[in-house]
């Protein structure tokens, strides 16, 4: 392996302020041992691909031992590696190899809940009501004459009640599946445990943590009913006490050499509340889901961009620009839909007609938009290949607990988690040698990394070019932007020195502004006109 850009963990740089971070959902990335499930050996073999792509860091979805009820977000041991993925030793090798290639490593941490197979939860079940073991979770007697009703009316985010009854009659709280009991963060033991887990992984050289459900740790201990509310002030989301947790965590990360970071996952309706997590003594950055959820409409996108810039500048944090992840409908599909092109969990709108060529053109334009905006950018595995949502997975193969828990009303998230096509002309497209845990469509023969690497007009070639330009271009990355004059359905902004990004969301071609040269375009231009659903980067005077 050639050493390109080795990271010295002792050099303090604010690398995270404008990093391009690639999200790896391990079981769908690359399978090294032929069992049909992605693993660390697969990732290690593909590190050169990621280095060529031009990313600065990888974020790994949970790699810990897990019964995989929720794809690894049900953790049974926070200090080891899931055996089907590999070993702790392999993880250490992977970290070192990535660092040699100039790639930093961020891992998921899941502080809101554990797996029901976590030793603490097993101990809690065994110890019985009133025991200190139960105090690490939320156990309560039920309501009703014989305690047969849940302690309150909270609903799981995966559907159904947020409480499950155990054999001795008590109920435990789970905001997600019934195999994901929520930790009780009023218990100092829980705090101490997570501090120790952070150190365990920082000591192994990781560069940061992505914090799962970062807003959810603290619950109102009176556990009040919510009477059907899912937004507004909720007694299990964005409670003020959660900030104390991250202040304590920040002290830990700051005590390590280099810049070790926290990235928060919070789906919050209020950008100002959101920014509170990014105060200088809390997290470094967080996913911009307002941007991800926004439909492909110039006015709405401009508003979201402006409000993101404003809210982040209140706390001096860099915004991030996210189009897809392992929980949402892939954006080629969303942007190609007739009707609403935004995203909401309440309705995935599977089965809505999709014009995939249109969705792809818009996805290409969106990539240049995100990479030109100030701050960080995320790439979800497969978006660089232009993959779309797989909506026709047979019911019996669906694995996401959302599908069962909503009694099939919500198809769940398997459609964005189909294993990546790397090469070859038929499934599993070199994902591995032993099939793939979710079926891939035959059409992906034209979308393998190998096929796209050979095509200068592919999505992969666009991402490679754009990420490399972004890295070298002084105007891009961290900093400021200013809106340029433009037509109503056009997004145009300037960055200093001498850079303009323009995206045409109207139905007609629009004239390019005065420029010195064209740096990159997401599709063919028509002379001096920018066609619909196309973005361009210009060198300006
Ligand atoms: O997701 C948090 C979350 O609430 C949503 O993104 C979730 O996917 C949605 O409610 C499903 O309908 C995080 C992880 O990203 C997700 O994969 C996990 O399932 C979840 O936490 C629980 O750990
Ligand atoms: Ca495997």
């Amino acid at each position: 392996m050639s050493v390109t850009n080795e990271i010295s963990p002792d050099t303090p740089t604010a690398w995270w302020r404008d990093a391009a971070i690639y999200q790896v959902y391990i079981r769908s990335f690359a399978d090294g041992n032929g069992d049909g499930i992605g693993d660390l050996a697969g990732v290690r073999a593909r590190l050169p691909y990621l280095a060529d792509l031009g990313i600065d860091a990888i974020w790994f979805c949970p790699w810990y031992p897990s019964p995989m009820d929720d794809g690894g977000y049900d953790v049974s041991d926070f200090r080891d590696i899931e055996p089907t993925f590999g070993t702790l030793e392999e993880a250490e090798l992977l970290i070192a190899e990535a660092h040699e290639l100039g790639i930093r490593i961020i891992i998921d941490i899941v502080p809101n809940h554990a797996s029901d197979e976590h030793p603490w939860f097993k101990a809690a079940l065994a110890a019985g009501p009133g025991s200190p073991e139960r105090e690490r979770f939320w156990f309560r007697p039920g309501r009703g004459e014989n305690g047969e009703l849940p302690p309150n009316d909270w609903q799981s985010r995966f559907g159904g009640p947020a409480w499950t009854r155990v054999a001795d009659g008590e109920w435990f709280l789970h905001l997600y599946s019934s195999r994901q009991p929520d930790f009780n963060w009023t218990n100092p033991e829980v705090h101490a445990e997570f501090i120790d887990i952070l150190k365990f992984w920082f000591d192994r050289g990781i560069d940061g943590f992505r914090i799962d459900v970062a807003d959810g740790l603290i619950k109102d201990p009176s556990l009040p009913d919510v009477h059907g509310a899912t937004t507004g002030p909720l007694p299990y989301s964005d409670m003020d006490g959660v900030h104390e947790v991250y202040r304590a965590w920040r002290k830990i990360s700051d005590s390590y050499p280099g810049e070790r970071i926290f990235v928060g996952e919070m789906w919050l309706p209020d950008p100002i509340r959101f920014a509170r997590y990014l105060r200088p003594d809390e997290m470094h950055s967080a996913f911009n889901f307002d941007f991800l959820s926004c439909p492909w409409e110039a006015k709405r996108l401009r508003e979201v961009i402006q409000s993101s810039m404003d809210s982040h500048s209140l706390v001096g944090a860099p915004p991030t620009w996210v189009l897809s992840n392992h929980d949402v409908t892939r954006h080629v599909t969303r942007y190609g839909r007739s009707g609403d092109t935004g995203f909401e969990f309440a309705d995935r709108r599977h089965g809505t007609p999709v014009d995939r060529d249109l969705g792809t053109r818009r996805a290409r334009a969106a990539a240049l938009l995100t990479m030109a905006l100030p701050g960080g950018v995320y790439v979800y595995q497969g978006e660089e290949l232009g993959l779309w949502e797989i909506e026709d997975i047979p019911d019996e193969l669906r694995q996401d607990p959302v599908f069962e828990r909503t009694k099939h009303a919500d198809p769940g998230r398997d459609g964005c988690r189909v294993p990546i096509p790397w090469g070859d002309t038929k499934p599993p497209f070199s994902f591995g040698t032993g099939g793939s845990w979710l079926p891939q469509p035959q059409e992906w023969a034209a979308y393998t990394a190998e096929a796209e690497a050979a095509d200068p007009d592919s999505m992969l070639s666009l991402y490679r070019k754009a990420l490399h330009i972004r890295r070298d271009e002084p105007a891009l990355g961290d900093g400021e932007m200013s809106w340029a004059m433009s037509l109503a359905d056009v997004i145009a902004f300037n960055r200093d020195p001498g850079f303009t990004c323009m995206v045409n969301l109207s139905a007609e071609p629009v004239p390019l502004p005065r420029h010195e040269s064209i740096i990159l375009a997401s599709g063919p231009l028509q002379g001096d006109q920018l066609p619909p659903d196309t973005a361009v980067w210009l060198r300006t005077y």
Side-chain angles (χ1 to χ4, degrees):
M1 200 173 283
S2 67
V3 177
T4 51
N5 183 22
E6 190 167 351
I7 292 167
S8 159
D10 300 331
T11 321
T13 62
W15 64 273
W16 47 273
R17 292 192 64 90
D18 53 12
I21 301 181
Y22 186 93
Q23 180 189 355
V24 169
Y25 189 74
I26 301 171
R27 61 181 180 150
S28 301
F29 186 68
D31 172 18
N33 68 351
D35 66 355
I37 301 166
D39 48 39
L40 298 189
V43 175
R44 288 172 67 196
R46 300 294 178 180
L47 283 176
Y49 167 87
L50 295 176
D52 282 352
L53 185 57
I55 51 119
D56 304 305
I58 302 172
W59 148 37
F60 287 104
C61 283
W63 60 11
Y64 313 105
S66 165
M68 293 286 154
D69 179 56
D70 182 22
Y73 283 93
D74 46 323
V75 178
S76 51
D77 178 357
F78 286 91
R79 293 180 187 81
D80 205 347
I81 296 290
E82 160 61 25
T84 54
F85 291 167
T87 62
L88 192 52
E89 199 186 352
E90 273 182 288
E92 287 172 354
L93 289 170
L94 192 164
I95 295 165
E97 289 161 359
H99 283 173
E100 264 178 47
L101 290 167
I103 297 174
R104 292 183 159 85
I105 300 292
I106 294 170
I107 63 173
D108 230 301
I109 188 155
V110 190
N112 183 68
H113 46 263
S115 158
D116 61 351
E117 291 185 20
H118 190 285
W120 278 15
F121 192 73
K122 290 198 215 163
L125 287 185
S131 61
E133 285 84 354
R134 288 216 169 172
E135 281 306 304
R136 292 161 171 164
F137 300 93
W138 292 98
F139 278 91
R140 287 290 183 278
R143 296 200 280 205
E145 218 166 300
N146 302 304
E148 73 281 8
L149 298 173
N152 70 20
D153 67 356
W154 297 3
Q155 295 296 297
S156 153
R157 293 216 174 93
F158 288 170
W163 296 89
T164 291
R165 200 172 193 190
V166 302
D168 54 53
E170 281 206 323
W171 297 71
F172 70 90
L173 175 69
H174 53 88
L175 290 183
Y176 293 89
S177 97
S178 56
R179 300 202 54 193
Q180 292 166 296
D182 279 42
F183 284 116
N184 171 8
W185 277 84
T186 67
N187 184 339
E189 265 191 275
V190 173
H191 281 262
E193 175 69 357
F194 273 91
I195 296 284
D196 193 67
I197 293 165
L198 297 179
K199 290 181 184 165
F200 178 91
W201 291 104
F202 279 142
D203 287 342
R204 276 160 187 77
I206 65 133
D207 302 282
F209 289 94
R210 176 264 189 197
I211 308 171
D212 190 61
V213 197
D215 59 293
L217 277 42
I218 305 296
K219 279 82 178 173
D220 178 339
S222 71
L223 304 174
D225 282 332
V226 295
H227 308 288
T230 52
T231 56
L234 292 169
Y236 50 79
S237 169
D238 196 29
M239 301 282 296
D240 285 338
V242 80
H243 297 283
E244 276 168 42
V245 174
Y246 302 123
R247 288 196 190 103
W249 286 20
R250 181 63 178 255
K251 292 202 181 93
I252 305 298
S253 64
D254 282 352
S255 74
Y256 280 82
E259 297 259 310
R260 316 285 179 112
I261 68 154
F262 295 109
V263 184
E265 189 225 18
M266 301 86 77
W267 291 82
L268 294 177
D270 177 352
I272 309 278
R273 296 281 308 179
F274 177 90
R276 287 155 48 94
Y277 291 76
L278 304 179
R279 289 177 288 197
D281 59 346
E282 297 190 42
M283 300 176 192
H284 300 74
S285 81
F287 300 101
N288 187 344
F289 293 128
D290 288 343
F291 181 79
L292 179 151
S293 308
C294 188
W296 186 249
E297 292 166 26
K299 183 169 177 287
R300 301 272 300 270
L301 281 166
R302 264 200 307 267
E303 282 164 8
V304 168
I305 292 167
Q306 187 61 54
S307 93
S308 308
M309 295 299 299
D310 291 346
S311 57
H312 286 74
S313 77
L314 288 176
V315 289
T320 66
W321 309 101
V322 190
L323 293 167
S324 280
N325 69 26
H326 65 297
D327 293 330
V328 308
T329 309
R330 282 193 179 272
H331 59 275
V332 163
T333 298
R334 283 189 277 123
Y335 290 161
R337 279 179 178 163
S338 56
D340 190 352
T341 52
F343 175 78
E344 18 174 8
F345 284 113
D347 185 1
R348 290 175 182 271
R349 297 193 292 277
H350 269 204
T352 308
V354 176
D355 177 342
R356 205 182 290 146
D357 290 339
L358 178 66
T360 302
R361 273 200 305 284
R362 290 175 170 174
R364 294 174 66 96
L368 294 202
L369 170 62
T370 59
M371 291 184 211
L373 286 166
V377 65
Y378 282 85
V379 178
Y380 173 48
Q381 65 180 39
E383 80 169 67
E384 81 278 19
L385 302 174
L387 302 187
W388 56 90
E389 185 79 3
I390 304 304
E391 298 188 12
D392 61 357
I393 295 172
D395 283 359
E396 64 277 13
L397 297 181
R398 291 197 179 276
Q399 308 244 339
D400 186 357
V402 167
F403 182 58
E404 284 306 323
R405 288 194 61 90
T406 60
K407 304 196 169 62
H408 302 191
D410 184 335
R413 301 162 293 178
D414 294 312
C416 63
R417 299 174 175 181
V418 174
I420 297 299
W422 289 100
D424 204 355
T425 52
K426 49 184 194 323
F429 299 116
S430 307
F431 169 67
T433 53
S436 66
W437 67 278
L438 284 173
Q440 304 154 307
Q442 180 54 45
E443 287 157 287
W444 278 6
Y447 293 82
T448 65
E450 207 176 288
E452 293 201 25
D455 172 5
D457 295 325
S458 67
M459 187 73 88
L460 179 59
S461 297
L462 179 72
Y463 267 74
R464 277 189 184 160
K465 275 181 237 157
L467 286 166
H468 284 274
I469 294 170
R470 181 179 181 275
R471 186 181 269 171
D472 297 338
E473 168 63 52
L476 295 186
D478 194 20
E480 303 294 325
M481 59 169 278
S482 57
W483 296 109
M485 291 276 286
S486 69
L487 298 167
D489 289 330
V490 174
I491 295 176
F493 55 92
N494 301 320
R495 304 216 44 198
D496 284 337
F499 183 99
T500 297
C501 174
M502 184 164 161
V503 192
N504 181 5
L505 291 94
S506 78
E508 303 297 328
V510 295
L512 293 177
R514 242 162 62 90
H515 58 273
E516 199 176 286
S517 60
I518 291 166
I519 300 171
L520 187 63
S522 68
L525 302 181
Q526 294 172 7
D528 233 13
Q529 306 262 313
L530 183 65
D533 297 309
T534 307
V536 67
W537 288 356
L538 299 170
R539 169 73 52 233
T540 44
Y541 301 99

